[in-house]
Each structure stands twice: as structure tokens, then as C-alpha cells.
Amino acid sequence: MKKRLLGMTPSELGETALSKGLPGFAGKQVARWMYVRRETSLEAMTDLSKSGREALGEEFEVGAAMPVSVVCSADGTRKYLFPVDGDPQNAVEAVMIPDDDRKTLCVSSQAGCKMGCKFCMTGRQGFHGNLSAADILSQFITIDESSELTNAVFMGMGEPLDNWENVKRAIDVLTAPWGFAWSPKRITLSTIGVIPNLRKYLDESRCHLAVSLHNPFPEERLEIMPVEKLYPMEDVLDLIRQYDFTGQRRVSFEYTMFAGFNDSPRHAEALVRLLRGLECRVNLIRFHKIPDFPYGTSSDEVMEDFKNRLQRGGLTATIRASRGEDILAACGMLSGKHRRGER
Ligand code: SF4
């Protein structure tokens, strides 16, 4: 199997080029082809000599994974399925969500997930491996809308901070002047709060943060999120409060609403107390019911009332619009079907 160039920095590409007898500056050329022109074939890199391309191609390839399927929603959302390490049975999703003049890509970082959140289809699949930086970047490079993407959210399959090294490498490519040259403000990483790597993320990047909270009471949160035992939300918040979110960088909290579990006035009041003094936004998310999970979807009236209570308590709160419902947009559903051969 050939080694993949996608995800390498220009200096790593330069060393690779030198090792195959090409000039060191070929690294910058290859980076420009891959990250600026989104080229997936060494053959097409015509400012490299033919013999140089052949020498490189003996051992290396760009290594961009192509989607094995795409499903389109009536609202314009498009869900792509990508093979992991060339294995279509081990697939992850990337979802492109259009909204006015934005096109946001919801990116996966792992095949499956170890975190075991009870309400999540990806969590139910178990863990099938970390995505390499090449697999993460493939989601940006080989979809039809590649050149039109404006934003990215690491909110697809997997816990991105459980695969920090590869996610960091991908973010570096997205934000470097020699890479996609995106502002960090265009990227949001969503986590359930893996504290050691959350600290690294906050120190080593300037991208936005979204935290999956879902219940302000530790014992209740633990019922649906085992991570609460290892990394309690209170400790996550202590860490977040050490960073500045009053300027360009933003923090938001994801709160999926489960009927009769976390949608009462008591929960709204506790949430206000928990987040008091933090410059943040709370996104209330409609739950898509899944099999063998005891709680259903909160009604529109309950969600509206919950939002109003948060706002009266001084929080910025919004109800997030559901997108792509007709194509199973809830995380992990399409790939779960794929894994079971139900396409
Ligand atoms: Fe993993 Fe996120 Fe699903 Fe939890 S919600 S199991 S962290 S993918």
C-alpha cells in the first residue's frame, strides 16, 4: 500500500520529495496542488518533472478517499459516505449543509466512537478506529462542493478530542496560509469534554468550541453520558472559564432535548446557574428518536418555553433548525445502515 501525502506540511513534503530525488521546493508545489487546487492525482501536477512524478508515485500517492455514496435531501443537505482506509464496510459520514450564502461541512473524526453516549447511533456502533489526517481532509477535498465550502464543524462521527493529533493536523492544513488559508473563525469543534485534549485544543488552536452538555445535573448527565464520570462537566467548565471567549473566539453548549428527562423548568434554571457569567450561547437541539432509548422528542411548546426561561436568565439561547431529516441526518444513522448492509 502506498503512503499518503495528504495531511503533510510543505516541509514534510519537501523532505519526501528530496528522498525521491526531486528538489526540496517540490514540497511547496505538491502542497499547492493538493490544498489550493484540490488535486487528487500526482499525474496532474504538471509543474513537477515527469520523472519526478514517477519517482514519487512509486512509493506515494495523494491518497484522497472518494465518497462511495451521496444522498441528497429536499432542503439541499447532502450526506456523503466515505470508506475508511479503503474499506467501504468501515464507512464514515460527512454532511454538507447549505444555508443562505454558507456551505458548512459536518466532518467525522473517527469510525464509530468509544464514548458510549446512550442517545447516539455512532456510540452504539462501537469504535472502529481513528481517522487519519488524510481521511479527515478527504471529506473536504473530494465532495462536489469542495471549492464552495465556507465553514466546518467537527460534529460528525466520533469524538474529535479522542483523536486530537490527526484532527489538529487537519485543522492546521485548513488554517495555514499554504493550506486552505481559512480563518479559524470558520471552524468549530464539538466535544463532550475530554479535558486533557480540550486544554491542548484551547491552547493550540483559535477555532470555536461547542460542548455537548445535555443535562446540568451530574447524576442525570451520567445516565446518558458515561464521560461525566471521568471528566465531570463542572471540571470542563472550570477549564473553559480560564480562556477568553469575549472576543473573536466563541463557545457554545449543545443541549439535545429529551422529553421528560432534561426539559423541565428545573433543568432550565439549573442550566442558567451552571453557565452564569460565561459569554456563551446555548443551542437547543430537537432529538430524533432512536430505538431502545427511553426518551422521546420534546414538544415545540416545551422547547420554546425552555428557550424563553434561558433567555430570561440572561443566556443567549436558540433552537437549532433540523436539516436533512428526510435523509437520516442524525449522526451515525446512514453509516450504521451501511454497516448492516441496509443501503
Ligand atoms: Fe461519540 Fe459524540 Fe456519539 Fe457521544 S455523541 S458517542 S462522543 S459521537
Side-chain angles (χ1 to χ4, degrees), residues 79-82 91-95 106-108 122 125 139 156-157 328-336:
K79 189 169 220 170
Y80 292 87
L81 206 57
F82 282 87
V92 296
E93 301 164 1
V95 183
C106 180
V107 191
S108 289
T122 304
Q125 291 172 21
Q139 298 170 59
M157 299 172 70
L328 305 171
C331 169
M333 285 197 172
L334 183 65
S335 73

Side-chain angles (χ1 to χ4, degrees), residues 18 36 64 82 114 141 202 211 221 226 269 280 295 302 305 314:
L18 281 171
V36 180
F82 282 87
K114 293 177 204 157
I141 283 181
L202 291 171
V211 179
R221 187 168 186 260
E269 281 148 26
C280 66
Y295 305 106
V302 167
D305 179 65

Side-chain angles (χ1 to χ4, degrees), residues 207-246:
C207 304
H208 300 312
L209 174 68
V211 179
S212 300
L213 205 162
H214 307 317
N215 201 306
F217 299 112
E219 64 287 359
E220 291 183 17
R221 187 168 186 260
L222 183 59
E223 265 182 55
I224 56 166
M225 300 179 75
V227 73
E228 176 67 23
K229 201 175 175 73
L230 192 57
Y231 301 123
M233 182 48 59
E234 215 174 281
D235 295 353
V236 173
L237 288 170
D238 282 348
L239 175 65
I240 289 173
R241 287 180 197 280
Q242 294 169 25
Y243 292 81
D244 179 15
F245 289 100
T246 58

Side-chain angles (χ1 to χ4, degrees), residues 162-292:
D162 190 40
N163 183 20
W164 173 233
E165 292 308 317
N166 290 318
V167 168
K168 178 178 172 7
R169 189 170 264 276
I171 288 177
D172 286 348
V173 170
L174 292 172
T175 54
W178 46 260
F180 282 44
W182 280 17
S183 158
K185 287 183 293 182
R186 293 166 65 176
I187 299 169
T188 302
L189 179 143
S190 174
T191 178
I192 59 172
V194 180
I195 289 177
N197 285 344
L198 176 56
R199 185 176 287 112
K200 288 187 190 168
Y201 175 71
L202 291 171
D203 286 338
E204 295 171 21
S205 92
R206 290 182 294 124
C207 304
H208 300 312
L209 174 68
V211 179
S212 300
L213 205 162
H214 307 317
N215 201 306
F217 299 112
E219 64 287 359
E220 291 183 17
R221 187 168 186 260
L222 183 59
E223 265 182 55
I224 56 166
M225 300 179 75
V227 73
E228 176 67 23
K229 201 175 175 73
L230 192 57
Y231 301 123
M233 182 48 59
E234 215 174 281
D235 295 353
V236 173
L237 288 170
D238 282 348
L239 175 65
I240 289 173
R241 287 180 197 280
Q242 294 169 25
Y243 292 81
D244 179 15
F245 289 100
T246 58
Q248 300 271 306
R249 189 177 217 184
R250 291 195 304 261
V251 59
S252 57
F253 293 88
E254 310 286 298
Y255 196 95
T256 304
M257 296 198 60
F258 307 107
F261 177 68
N262 67 352
D263 61 353
S264 73
R266 182 177 69 95
H267 289 90
E269 281 148 26
L271 198 51
V272 167
R273 279 197 303 276
L274 191 66
L275 300 180
R276 186 160 284 149
L278 197 59
E279 188 75 36
C280 66
R281 168 185 294 268
V282 178
N283 291 318
L284 302 175
I285 301 164
R286 192 176 310 283
F287 178 53
H288 297 269
K289 190 152 175 40
I290 61 169
D292 305 322

Side-chain angles (χ1 to χ4, degrees), residues 110 112-124 155-160 191-192 212 214 225 331:
Q110 296 180 311
C113 186
K114 293 177 204 157
M115 299 297 151
C117 304
K118 300 276 194 314
F119 52 87
C120 169
M121 291 298 280
T122 304
R124 298 238 182 124
M155 273 186 201
M157 299 172 70
E159 164 52 59
T191 178
I192 59 172
S212 300
H214 307 317
M225 300 179 75
C331 169

Side-chain angles (χ1 to χ4, degrees), residues 2-20 26-36 42 56 59-63 132-135 137 141 165-166 168-170 172-174 176 178-180:
K2 291 187 180 173
K3 295 179 198 156
R4 300 164 86 180
L5 299 170
L6 196 59
M8 288 190 188
T9 63
S11 69
E12 289 166 342
L13 290 164
E15 282 166 29
T16 303
L18 281 171
S19 75
K20 301 306 288 182
K28 281 193 184 143
Q29 293 172 298
V30 174
R32 192 161 54 245
W33 280 106
M34 290 195 299
Y35 304 137
V36 180
L42 274 178
L56 210 49
E59 197 179 335
F60 296 93
E61 60 181 354
V62 171
S132 62
D135 277 331
L137 290 167
I141 283 181
E165 292 308 317
N166 290 318
K168 178 178 172 7
R169 189 170 264 276
D172 286 348
V173 170
L174 292 172
W178 46 260
F180 282 44

